Amino acid sequence: MVGLNGSIPWMCLPRFDSEPLFCGLLDHARGGHFTVAPEDLVEARQRYEPNTGVLVTESRSSTGLVRVTDALVLRSGADLTDDAPVDRAELVRSAVVVAGNVRLRVDLRPRGGGQARALFSGLEVRVSRRPDLRLHLRSNRPLTGLCSIHDLEQGDRLDLVLSWGRFHRHHRFDAEAMLRETADAWRRWMTQFSYRGPEEPLVRRAAITLKLCDDWVNGSLVAAPTSSLPAPIGGVRNWDYRYAWIRDAAFGVFAMRRIGFCNEADAFLGWVLDAFEQSRRPRIMYELGGRPVPDEVEDPELEGYRRSAPVRWGNGAADQRQHDIYGEILDCAYQWLRSGGEVQPALWADLAGLADAAGKAWRQPDQGIWEVRGEGRAFTYSAGMCQVALDRAATMGERLGLPGPIAEWRTLARKVRQIILDQSWDHDAQTLSEHLQGGGSLDASLLALPLRHVVPADHPRMVATTMAVKERLAAGGGLLYRYLHDQSPDGIAGDEGAFLLCSFWLVDNLTGQGRREEAEELYASLCARASPLGLLSEQIDPSTGEFMGNFPQAFSHIGIITSGVNLARASAGAA
């Protein structure tokens, strides 16, 4: 994460879910940072190099203008479609004075401090908190220590490369070539991009953002690369999102495949099935290698983003009962088969066991898709995803002649769908309810039922439910709350902002109901909320428009892609 002030206040090495090397984002004084910036910074702006993950920050001082280009370096000739390591375990920061003269400050300050010694025409950096981590900082100009000042004139450049993998004296130092080869690799990957529809530049950026949230070695997708960014500021809803949720991967597969990135979609699917088969039980989330997520702990040393404590590592929701997981895994298996994959007998036996479990769990209370930390309830969406589990298992069994109670699964799938339509329907409120027993209370996950093919978007009761959610969960400006805390308590203190993905689900429902003009208007308004770099957070403060929660949020960028694809297809069908 690179700030407008030239600081990198967040970087986890060597993986997303490792302890942060720099986390000034969560505590400016004690978290650490890596800063390359003019001493008297006046203003700055940022942009990405087109079709890449290479970031450019232009900073103006009172005496000149400097351009800093940042990139996580990719190997020469790297193929980003390949499920294999293509990074060089290096960060390049290259500063060029565009106009005037600049006094440039370089300050590398790991959390907890570090010590440097001269090594291989650079500095070896030992990090006090991370004895396992060996860093090497090289430069095209002399470095006197972890903090240095460089007086540069127009045309001068300062190149810095921070390495955390293997490094040797003979390793070449050519920052310009590193940046060029990295940008070339990104652009080769983007030649797969296949989308013609509304907000195409933002859909392109969303695809790259999802790729940046992808653990390329394992094929897993983090919900967000950050932890403990609060929703709202000053609240306690601060969670660690640096792990892979099964449902995020399932939605991500849908999005990436529809814009041409089939390899990434298959990698996500394969990772889901591998993680499930290895753990031999359905977990809602895993760490990036497919192992259990660490227990949730609070970090008393950090004050939190804008003093929003606590800072948390690990995630306490990892062991929750969330019945949608049955449908997520079986839907991934179904998509895996449709893409040409195979399901071996041992895996099928486990999947069939999931279908049987879903057939029993759909009436039982759970913590739901929103991971409430209070008393569980029989959520309608959870029941809907159990229906998905039964339906996908029956479909796979029918098509491939696999063993199991196929007819029973099919019959129960139909029954659960009808019970959702009948029992969760509240006649007075004219809506499906968030709970199977009805009652008229709402949560926006009901809008996802058509997306998972539980209920058609144009079913009269789904049309009425869409209107109820749109009106009763409205946060203003097309934004939606997930639920209302006074009607749907979740066991956590305080309120929260509007959840962006829910508004994209509203776009999809309006599109499926033939209300294309309304859907297009809402989609455009949501896309307009993206940052100047084309990035979105998890939530938005309806009163100010400020981002809330972890950032950038994979779910929000999945929404950009999926809703854009649905609108483009609806437009093509109407033409």
Side-chain angles (χ1 to χ4, degrees):
M1 306 286 282
V2 184
L4 279 168
N5 63 354
S7 167
I8 294 179
W10 182 264
M11 188 175 186
C12 300
L13 296 178
R15 303 197 322 184
F16 288 109
D17 53 0
S18 301
E19 178 178 336
L21 176 66
F22 311 119
C23 58
L25 192 65
L26 300 179
D27 192 314
H28 179 73
R30 289 169 289 188
H33 57 90
F34 181 13
T35 297
V36 178
E39 279 205 317
D40 54 345
L41 179 64
V42 174
E43 62 179 359
R45 61 183 181 180
Q46 291 179 317
R47 60 178 172 83
Y48 280 111
E49 292 286 0
N51 288 322
T52 77
V54 178
L55 182 70
V56 176
T57 305
E58 293 184 343
S59 303
R60 185 177 298 279
S61 71
S62 58
T63 58
L65 176 67
V66 63
R67 181 175 63 242
V68 178
T69 304
D70 286 296
L72 291 167
V73 183
L74 304 177
R75 297 183 186 278
S76 176
D79 180 3
L80 300 192
T81 65
D82 193 12
D83 230 3
V86 294
D87 67 292
R88 291 176 37 151
E90 290 177 311
L91 166 71
V92 61
R93 310 203 72 188
S94 179
V96 178
V97 178
V98 178
N101 57 80
V102 174
R103 171 162 279 200
L104 203 65
R105 176 171 56 91
V106 175
D107 189 0
L108 191 153
R109 190 175 304 175
R111 180 187 178 187
Q115 299 78 41
R117 71 180 183 94
L119 182 70
F120 302 157
S121 67
L123 299 175
E124 180 189 38
V125 183
R126 296 286 185 176
V127 182
S128 301
R129 289 181 60 94
R130 297 287 304 279
D132 60 307
L133 201 59
R134 184 175 177 229
L135 305 178
H136 190 222
L137 182 65
R138 291 180 291 166
S139 176
N140 64 333
R141 294 175 179 270
L143 297 173
T144 56
L146 296 182
C147 186
S148 56
I149 300 294
H150 303 266
D151 290 306
L152 306 177
E153 298 181 353
Q154 183 172 339
D156 288 346
R157 64 184 301 134
L158 171 68
D159 294 325
L160 298 158
V161 175
L162 179 66
S163 306
W164 55 92
R166 293 173 59 249
F167 45 85
H168 298 287
R169 185 181 301 277
H170 72 274
H171 281 183
R172 69 188 176 105
F173 185 89
D174 189 342
E176 287 185 86
M178 290 178 178
L179 290 171
R180 182 177 60 253
E181 291 162 358
T182 297
D184 287 347
W186 276 109
R187 290 179 179 130
R188 282 194 301 273
W189 180 74
M190 281 298 290
T191 59
Q192 300 174 90
F193 180 79
S194 176
Y195 173 81
R196 295 293 181 271
E199 304 287 348
E200 182 179 328
L202 194 62
V203 174
R204 283 181 176 271
R205 181 50 52 191
I208 294 170
T209 302
L210 289 181
K211 185 66 173 177
L212 285 167
C213 290
D214 176 9
D215 179 52
W216 297 350
V217 175
N218 295 298
S220 49
L221 177 75
V222 294
T226 54
S227 175
S228 301
L229 295 185
I233 302 299
V236 297
R237 295 171 182 267
N238 312 334
W239 315 117
D240 191 348
Y241 275 12
R242 301 171 302 143
Y243 307 108
W245 271 253
I246 296 294
R247 73 172 65 92
D248 293 46
F251 279 105
V253 166
F254 180 92
M256 295 298 273
R257 191 181 301 285
R258 280 154 181 77
I259 56 172
F261 297 105
C262 295
N263 286 348
E264 280 67 26
D266 288 344
F268 294 165
L269 290 173
W271 175 83
V272 168
L273 296 178
D274 286 348
F276 166 61
E277 193 168 19
Q278 290 169 18
S279 65
R280 305 198 60 83
R281 55 164 288 191
R283 294 181 180 274
I284 63 171
M285 70 180 87
Y286 296 84
E287 57 94 70
L288 301 181
R291 291 183 293 275
V293 169
D295 292 339
E296 186 175 296
V297 296
E298 295 183 4
D299 191 330
E301 296 180 6
L302 300 176
E303 68 177 10
Y305 179 78
R306 291 170 60 179
R307 297 184 177 176
S308 299
V311 169
R312 292 185 171 99
W313 312 120
N315 198 297
D319 293 321
Q320 280 188 350
R321 179 180 297 175
Q322 296 179 22
H323 294 153
D324 71 299
I325 191 62
Y326 301 117
E328 306 292 4
I329 294 174
L330 275 154
D331 191 48
C332 283
Y334 173 65
Q335 293 188 63
W336 175 256
L337 282 173
R338 290 187 63 186
S339 66
E342 296 182 2
V343 173
Q344 290 77 21
L347 176 57
W348 172 249
D350 289 339
L351 293 171
L354 281 188
D356 289 337
K360 299 173 182 176
W362 64 274
R363 286 186 181 275
Q364 299 171 3
D366 71 340
Q367 263 54 53
I369 183 176
W370 305 129
E371 301 180 351
V372 302
R373 298 204 173 190
E375 184 179 356
R377 301 186 284 279
F379 288 100
T380 300
Y381 180 75
S382 296
M385 289 306 294
C386 288
Q387 190 276 340
V388 168
L390 294 161
D391 175 81
R392 304 302 188 267
T395 300
M396 287 188 287
E398 290 163 355
R399 291 185 179 178
L400 300 178
L402 297 170
I406 309 300
E408 293 179 21
W409 291 337
R410 177 63 68 202
T411 299
L412 186 53
R414 295 190 183 108
K415 176 183 176 182
V416 173
R417 175 185 286 118
Q418 196 58 50
I419 286 176
I420 288 172
L421 286 169
D422 293 343
Q423 293 188 9
S424 75
W425 177 256
D426 186 281
H427 180 76
D428 293 335
Q430 285 293 292
T431 182
L432 298 174
S433 306
E434 66 174 329
H435 305 137
L436 268 185
Q437 63 269 31
S441 60
L442 290 174
D443 83 57
S445 67
L446 295 167
L447 295 177
L449 294 175
L451 311 185
R452 313 315 295 270
H453 304 289
V454 178
V455 179
D458 58 357
H459 188 286
R461 292 195 170 182
M462 195 65 230
V463 172
T465 300
T466 301
M467 290 304 300
V469 170
K470 182 174 180 287
E471 293 171 2
R472 290 170 50 191
L473 297 185
L479 299 175
L480 295 176
Y481 295 111
R482 294 187 293 179
Y483 45 83
L484 301 179
H485 290 243
D486 57 343
Q487 298 177 19
S488 307
D490 59 13
I492 310 168
D495 290 326
E496 59 183 8
F499 203 87
L500 275 165
L501 181 63
C502 299
S503 290
F504 285 111
W505 287 346
L506 178 57
V507 171
D508 297 332
N509 278 264
L510 295 173
T511 303
Q513 293 163 15
R515 297 155 66 182
R516 188 157 55 89
E517 186 174 334
E518 189 178 350
E520 289 172 345
E521 183 179 343
L522 175 57
Y523 182 67
S525 73
L526 296 173
C527 290
R529 293 182 180 274
S531 76
L533 290 175
L535 304 178
L536 284 172
S537 60
E538 176 187 56
Q539 300 180 29
I540 284 184
D541 184 334
S543 63
T544 64
E546 289 185 337
F547 288 171
M548 298 168 58
N550 285 305
F551 173 87
Q553 176 79 5
F555 252 165
S556 299
H557 295 87
I558 288 169
I560 290 173
I561 295 171
T562 303
S563 295
V565 168
N566 288 336
L567 280 169
R569 292 184 173 183
S571 180

